[in-house]
Amino acid sequence: MKYIFALVDCNNFYVSCERIFEPSLEGRPVVVLSNNDGCVVSRSNEAKRLGIGMGVAFFKVKDFDAKHGLVALSSNYTLYADMSRRVMETLCNFTPEIEVYSIDEAFLNLSGLGDNLTDYGRRIRQTVKQWTGMPVSVGIAETKTLAKIANRIAKRSPEAAGVFELTEQARIDEALAQTGVENIWGVGIKTCIKLKREGIKTALALRGVDAEWMRRRFGVTGVRTVYELRGISCYELEDQPPAKKGITVSRMFGRKVETVEELKEAIASYASRAGEKLRDEGLAAGAMTVFVMTSRFVDPRKRYFNSRGVNFPTATNYTPELIDYAAGAIERLYKKGFLYAKAGLILGDLVPEGKVQGNLFDAADRQKSRRLMRAVDAVNIKLPDSRLIWAAEGIGQSWRTKFAKRSKRYTTQWDELLEVV
DNA sequence: TCTGGGGTCCTAGGACCC
DNA sequence: TCTGGGGTCCTAGGACCC
């Protein structure tokens, strides 16, 4: 039996989340900004039509509000995560096999659901809209790469009205002929330039290249893309999320940071957040890499990047311990005279909490630490606005990332519920 | 003045071993 | 003058994704 994938993708996800709770944003150009209100990460169709590109620095389009009525909002991750969960739960009603691919996309297995897949796609789209308010597009095909292309057409073609099926050969050929290589899943900027230099400009042309030549020039990932375009599936549906390999917490500062004390406060708060993530996943980390960096946009002589790895004697998820290691690394990394823009840490060698190998010389009372962490986590989940923080994180925290234009957390905070007046 | 964060997979090359 | 070869493991960096 042939596999059938549906790719369900939320339209302009962050912007749509905002619009669901603020309908006056409907029909206007709206963008959502990254951390620190730095650059544009989600755009309404109206904003796209104004020529605002994905990832552009916000200061470059700031004056669009006066000229074109552009509305810019800070990211509201709490709201987006909750809306994502609602959409994914709705999708689970349509198939037992679903792979949540990202915050706003999921692959569904539609094999064995009959011949009228387009109709089925329409039902999915309509139900998600009705139950959550979220507009989605559905692309249907025999490989993930083709489903991505189908989804792109579903979004753009008015006739498709949000659902497009690519299972018929003539239709596939036509779609591939109209898809530039830059719009193929897995083809990034570097590969795109190389392909075009070879005269390969469309997905149809790429489908026809010699597989061995492709392997030599672009490695196994390149060949997989060619096969996927031919309808030979190389990427399975992964309905079991694979074990995490690392946990990263890093942020740009709200302003430049010069002192080692402030760097240590920041890294302590990132370490604390990393500890929460570990415990939430039931994991412990065996190693940590800490890094600091200046802005990429300053004079090269004023740039500094450095990182430092630490292997723990015993894997841990105990926040005070993580903070100690992180602060120690910062002391060694810090060089006076630089304006630091960002710091972060990456936890590696992750192991299930219950399987931590004890260390003969490790005297810490693990049971007690675990109870303490459980208590702290419980308080912070219940009272996110009066969180317990570690003294090392500092009180003022003037280096904190800025979110000047954030909307309310409508769905997760009682005091921020939508008010209808 | 102002330019995000969190991931995965693959590959080349060095270290090390016999 | 003469200086092996092949396998495995690890890591850093590249490329890509949303």
Side-chain angles (χ1 to χ4, degrees):
Chain A
M1 185 181 65
K2 283 257 183 185
Y3 222 89
I4 297 284
F5 294 97
L7 174 64
V8 181
D9 188 324
C10 301
N11 301 345
N12 315 328
F13 180 61
Y14 292 177
V15 166
S16 294
C17 289
E18 299 290 347
R19 279 180 168 170
I20 289 168
F21 296 94
E22 188 51 71
S24 71
L25 297 175
E26 217 58 64
R28 302 182 61 177
V30 180
V31 294
V32 173
L33 306 173
S34 64
N35 279 356
N36 260 337
D37 299 338
C39 50
V40 172
V41 291
S42 180
R43 305 158 294 155
S44 72
N45 292 344
E46 297 81 2
K48 289 176 189 171
R49 259 182 255 125
L50 289 178
I52 299 174
M54 180 66 176
V56 302
F58 177 51
F59 72 84
K60 291 181 180 167
V61 295
K62 227 170 195 168
D63 54 332
F64 279 45
D65 57 348
K67 266 191 279 179
H68 307 285
L70 177 70
V71 178
L73 298 161
S74 303
S75 290
N76 185 341
Y77 298 116
T78 316
L79 176 67
Y80 309 153
D82 189 58
M83 288 306 294
S84 174
R85 184 187 54 77
R86 295 182 187 202
V87 170
M88 300 307 169
E89 276 176 12
T90 307
L91 294 178
C92 288
N93 290 279
F94 290 92
T95 171
E97 284 178 64
I98 170 171
E99 172 186 345
V100 177
Y101 178 67
S102 73
I103 193 164
D104 70 333
E105 289 175 57
F107 287 104
L108 276 57
N109 176 11
L110 298 191
S111 317
L113 286 169
D115 295 329
N116 215 331
L117 295 169
T118 304
D119 271 0
Y120 201 72
R122 292 207 177 100
R123 275 178 47 207
I124 293 174
R125 185 177 138 85
Q126 205 190 339
T127 308
V128 174
K129 177 78 185 168
Q130 202 176 335
W131 292 7
T132 69
M134 182 61 61
V136 300
S137 301
V138 184
I140 300 163
E142 288 174 5
T143 69
K144 285 182 168 179
T145 305
L146 288 172
K148 276 270 182 184
I149 290 174
N151 190 285
R152 188 164 178 276
I153 296 169
K155 274 207 175 66
R156 301 169 156 251
S157 145
E159 305 90 77
V163 181
F164 196 70
E165 179 180 341
L166 264 188
T167 47
E168 213 178 285
Q169 199 54 52
R171 231 181 177 194
I172 295 175
D173 295 350
E174 196 193 335
L176 296 193
Q178 288 167 6
T179 302
V181 286
E182 65 278 8
N183 295 314
I184 302 169
W185 188 50
V187 176
I189 182 72
K190 301 278 179 180
T191 307
C192 179
I193 291 168
K194 276 160 83 179
L195 285 173
K196 285 192 172 163
R197 216 181 282 144
E198 299 285 345
I200 300 159
K201 297 194 173 79
T202 66
L204 188 68
L206 184 59
R207 186 181 71 178
V209 304
D210 176 69
E212 184 48 33
W213 175 85
M214 193 67 191
R215 199 200 55 75
R216 281 198 310 273
R217 291 293 308 274
F218 299 94
V220 295
T221 42
V223 194
R224 281 183 196 144
T225 299
V226 170
Y227 280 130
E228 285 253 318
L229 290 172
R230 291 178 187 170
I232 301 160
S233 178
C234 300
Y235 301 107
E236 311 263 289
L237 190 97
E238 291 170 24
D239 49 355
Q240 308 287 11
K244 266 203 169 49
K245 303 218 163 73
I247 286 176
T248 306
V249 179
S250 72
R251 302 265 183 287
M252 300 279 296
F253 302 127
R255 59 164 171 80
K256 298 293 179 281
V257 161
E258 283 183 82
T259 68
V260 70
E261 289 75 24
E262 285 183 311
L263 275 183
K264 280 164 79 177
E265 280 181 17
I267 209 71
S269 92
Y270 304 164
S272 164
R273 176 69 193 124
E276 284 179 352
K277 287 189 182 186
L278 277 176
R279 296 189 295 274
D280 187 47
E281 305 255 350
L283 296 170
M288 171 192 282
T289 302
V290 177
F291 66 89
V292 294
M293 62 193 286
T294 53
S295 168
R296 313 200 300 285
F297 302 97
V298 296
D299 182 331
R301 283 166 302 180
K302 295 181 179 169
R303 275 181 225 167
Y304 174 57
F305 171 88
N306 205 354
S307 69
R308 190 171 178 90
V310 195
N311 289 311
F312 305 150
T314 305
T316 183
N317 59 20
Y318 184 49
T319 293
E321 209 172 352
L322 297 172
I323 289 179
D324 269 356
Y325 285 118
I330 286 289
E331 272 179 8
R332 289 155 180 273
L333 288 169
Y334 177 76
K335 274 210 237 168
K336 204 171 152 50
F338 289 101
L339 295 173
Y340 293 90
K342 181 177 180 175
L345 57 88
I346 302 154
L347 297 173
D349 292 355
L350 305 184
V351 291
E353 197 173 22
K355 288 193 187 152
V356 172
Q357 294 286 324
N359 181 320
L360 199 57
F361 306 100
D362 179 21
D365 185 348
R366 301 261 152 208
Q367 289 301 320
K368 206 168 147 191
S369 341
R370 198 165 296 165
R371 283 201 302 274
L372 174 58
M373 288 301 99
R374 211 174 295 147
V376 170
D377 288 340
V379 170
N380 287 344
I381 288 168
K382 215 166 177 186
L383 304 167
D385 289 323
S386 33
R387 289 174 48 85
L388 294 173
I389 66 165
W390 303 87
E393 297 177 50
I395 302 296
Q397 304 197 334
S398 60
W399 40 265
R400 275 240 173 255
T401 312
K402 304 272 187 285
F403 295 90
K405 310 156 189 294
R406 181 146 65 195
S407 53
K408 294 181 179 177
R409 291 165 291 183
Y410 301 104
T411 64
T412 54
Q413 291 302 112
W414 287 111
D415 54 351
E416 297 184 21
L417 278 179
L418 184 62
E419 287 176 38
V420 180
V421 286

